[in-house]
Amino acid sequence: MHLPKGLTNWVEIKQGVCQGCIASPPLFNLYGESVLRPLDEVPIRVSINGVIIDNIRYADDIVLIETTEEGLQQLLHESNSNGESKGRSINYKKTKGMVISKSEKKP
């Protein structure tokens, strides 16, 4: 741990924070940033009103946004690989997909 007086001895973390803990949101934001930041290198992007967006985060939920099924699969794979390298993975049983289109034609 990094404290004002310097680094402490190594601390092994065996369990996460309790539900409702005030440390949970900022810790999840740090984790989410470290997992999703490498996605900036993925060339496929969605532009909404000139702003490039590939994910939206709220609490412990993450929405990945893509223009194609293949691109979304690539984002999922990259996100899961990044998460696994940090000891976490996507729970595919809780993962949902949604298609949004201006046309009535099914993709």
Side-chain angles (χ1 to χ4, degrees), residues 15-83:
Q15 184 173 334
V17 295
C18 296
Q19 186 161 351
C21 177
I22 61 170
S24 184
L27 288 173
F28 187 79
N29 284 341
L30 286 171
Y31 166 76
E33 190 65 23
S34 69
V35 168
L36 297 174
R37 178 63 54 106
L39 297 181
D40 290 345
E41 304 303 318
V42 177
I44 306 164
R45 292 283 180 261
V46 174
S47 176
I48 300 175
N49 290 333
V51 177
I52 306 240
I53 298 175
D54 64 4
N55 71 82
I56 299 171
R57 293 176 250 168
Y58 181 78
D60 63 349
D61 295 319
I62 298 172
V63 176
L64 297 175
I65 303 169
E66 192 44 77
T67 57
T68 66
E69 186 176 340
E70 295 79 17
L72 182 58
Q73 186 62 49
Q74 182 180 3
L75 284 179
L76 276 169
H77 175 72
E78 293 291 330
S79 299
N80 196 50
S81 293
N82 295 341

Side-chain angles (χ1 to χ4, degrees), residues 9-15:
N9 292 332
W10 179 256
V11 176
E12 184 177 346
I13 299 173
K14 296 182 180 182
Q15 184 173 334

